[in-house]
Amino acid sequence: MVHMTQAPAPPKATRRQHDREIVALAVPAFGALVAEPLFVMADSAIVGHLGTAPLAGLGVASALLTTAVSVFVFLAYATTAAVARRVGAGDLQAAIRQGMDGIWLALLLGTAVIATVLPAAPFLVNLFGASGTAAPYATTYLRISALGIPAMLVVLASTGVLRGLQDTKTPLYVAVGGFVANAALNACLVYGADLGIAGSAWGTVIAQYGMALVYLTVVVRGAQRHGASLLPDAAGIRLSAQAGVPLLVRTLSLRAILLIATAVAARLGDADIAAHQIILSLWSLLAFALDAIAIAGQAIIGRHLGAGDGQGARDACRRMVEWGIAVGIVLGALVIVARPVFLPLFTSDSVVKDTALPALVIVALSQPISGVVFVLDGILMGAGDGPYLAWAMVVTLAVFSPVALLVPALGGGLTALWGAMTLMMTVRLITLWLRARSDRWIVTGATR
């Protein structure tokens, strides 16, 4: 077997071709990723003028919705890999048929989530600790916004279809259009129609269904062009669900890590949790840049493997890892340079700033590690290696949890907690690198 670390470097022409592909896919993907959190920011800016209680209610409801939707992000990841393989195999009809199975699965899951959230909304709001004044607003927003969850999940699955088809520009256009429509609808319904926080929720629901309709139009036209059936196929939907289960385990493990980190920070004190939230927001923003390369990796690797080109997959993997390291170094340097400007944007409290500063340095220094982790994560997703990713993330959670929980007990502060976060990323690096340097992830063909 020829391992990735032992194979000769591909010629410059091949590397330039990989570079062009990575940029063409990653740049629009980054724009679409950044547009998504702008939905919540627009809602917050508009609802914030209604008062503190509505804004607090929006914060609780948004956290619940974000958690619910992020759990199903496998709809995008698994669909991208499956569609890209069939594109590589030259069977566009089967590629779009696979994408339709993912979309039907999204509709089924969305309907199930609505049936769960609508009656449970007051309980969920109280579970998240909403105050007596904020709880009614949170419940109202959650119940209305839950009606848009099927559309949100269709957007995820449809995004995966287009990424698999090597198209990241259309998701960018749809995301930007959705953001503009959401902001305009929110302003009109909250203030023009005087609907308050309910208007904000309805604006978001309408924008989400508008985005889903655009995606469905694009996918349906592709299906008609290539003669792919639009009807639900029970076997195909079942296969999509089976491919998504390991990625669901991976996502839940990652969410557990982030929740544990926040819970530990809260035990350290008010200044620490405030500083942690600032750093976590930056960490998430940096993750968008790195995740864009990972998305390119999903599409490119899936296509190479579908075409039976194992060596091409290895060469692309090598080049994307180099990109991950380079982008990580650049992002880390930017964090170091921007520290004096970044922290005052979030707080004027000198204690919070002093608490955040050393932890911020750790985040900056760990960005090259994060770069490789995100890229390899995307590569293995593109290869359909979900079971290994699930196992690796469970191992990471098992290593991180006791270390993080010991931070307060041993008198450590926020810097120690972010040291534990860096340990977590290092464990991920080791597990992913061991897999990537072997040949076990390289399974060629239209299906894995």
Side-chain angles (χ1 to χ4, degrees):
M1 286 187 177
V2 179
H3 296 299
M4 185 187 72
T5 52
Q6 298 171 333
K12 288 185 179 180
T14 303
R15 291 202 299 272
R16 284 196 295 269
Q17 180 183 350
H18 288 318
D19 291 345
R20 286 193 294 269
E21 277 195 313
I22 293 167
V23 170
L25 291 169
V27 172
F30 175 69
L33 289 168
V34 171
E36 291 172 13
L38 293 179
F39 267 74
V40 177
M41 289 179 63
D43 289 1
S44 299
I46 292 170
V47 172
H49 291 288
L50 297 176
T52 301
L55 183 59
L58 173 66
V60 171
S62 294
L64 285 162
L65 284 167
T66 301
T67 300
V69 174
S70 66
V71 163
F72 298 110
V73 74
F74 69 82
L75 288 167
Y77 294 157
T79 304
T80 297
V83 171
R85 274 185 176 269
R86 286 162 175 78
V87 169
D91 192 348
L92 288 177
Q93 183 185 73
I96 296 175
R97 174 66 261 178
Q98 179 71 41
M100 286 304 305
D101 292 335
I103 290 171
W104 280 110
L105 177 61
L107 285 169
L108 290 173
L109 291 173
T111 303
V113 173
I114 287 180
T116 302
V117 171
L118 286 182
F123 169 77
L124 292 171
V125 165
N126 289 329
L127 187 66
F128 264 59
S131 67
T133 53
Y137 294 104
T139 302
T140 297
Y141 189 93
L142 182 59
R143 277 184 165 155
I144 296 172
S145 294
L147 300 175
I149 287 178
M152 297 181 199
L153 299 190
V154 166
V155 166
L156 281 177
S158 302
T159 301
V161 176
L162 295 182
R163 288 173 182 171
L165 294 170
Q166 318 296 296
D167 176 10
T168 56
K169 289 183 179 178
T170 300
L172 171 61
Y173 301 147
V174 176
V176 171
F179 166 70
V180 173
N182 178 65
L185 286 165
N186 268 257
C188 291
L189 295 175
V190 171
Y191 300 125
D194 198 27
L195 294 178
I197 195 169
S200 177
W202 281 116
T204 300
V205 169
I206 294 169
Q208 292 286 356
Y209 274 99
M211 292 170 66
L213 183 61
V214 172
Y215 273 123
L216 287 175
T217 301
V218 173
V219 174
V220 167
R221 285 178 179 173
Q224 292 172 338
R225 188 163 56 248
H226 295 286
S229 173
L230 298 174
L231 297 175
D233 176 65
I237 294 171
R238 187 167 58 252
L239 286 174
S240 294
Q242 288 171 351
V245 168
L247 296 180
L248 175 61
V249 173
R250 169 201 167 275
T251 300
L252 290 174
S253 299
L254 180 57
R255 296 294 300 183
I257 287 169
L258 297 177
L259 287 171
I260 290 169
T262 300
V264 170
R267 291 176 61 188
L268 296 175
D270 290 346
D272 292 89
I273 185 61
H276 176 74
Q277 289 304 115
I278 293 171
I279 295 171
L280 193 59
S281 67
L282 175 63
W283 193 77
S284 299
L285 178 62
L286 298 172
F288 284 135
L290 298 172
D291 205 26
I293 305 174
I295 287 169
Q298 292 171 32
I300 293 170
I301 294 297
R303 191 190 72 230
H304 277 297
L305 294 177
D309 185 8
Q311 187 57 51
R314 291 185 191 91
D315 293 343
C317 176
R318 179 197 297 270
R319 192 57 180 160
M320 280 183 280
V321 167
E322 291 170 355
W323 267 82
I325 294 170
V327 173
I329 291 171
V330 171
L331 292 176
L334 287 174
V335 171
I336 294 292
V337 171
R339 281 180 305 159
V341 178
F342 174 73
L343 287 174
L345 291 176
F346 289 87
T347 182
S348 57
D349 189 325
S350 59
V351 176
V352 174
K353 286 191 282 190
D354 290 343
T355 302
L357 206 56
L360 208 54
V361 173
I362 290 179
V363 170
L365 294 176
S366 67
Q367 284 310 294
I369 296 174
S370 297
V372 178
V373 167
F374 274 83
V375 167
L376 291 179
D377 204 41
I379 285 167
L380 295 182
M381 282 184 192
D385 206 9
Y388 183 86
L389 290 172
W391 172 87
M393 191 61 80
V394 170
V395 169
T396 303
L397 174 61
V399 173
F400 170 78
S401 300
V403 175
L405 294 172
L406 280 173
V407 168
L410 297 177
L414 190 67
T415 304
L417 175 60
W418 276 94
M421 289 288 284
T422 302
L423 171 66
M424 177 270 293
M425 294 301 289
T426 303
V427 173
R428 290 186 70 189
L429 173 64
I430 293 169
T431 56
L432 295 174
W433 183 258
L434 287 173
R435 187 66 164 184
R437 72 183 297 274
S438 75
D439 280 337
R440 282 175 289 182
W441 62 279
I442 299 176
V443 179
T444 57
T447 59
R448 184 176 173 88

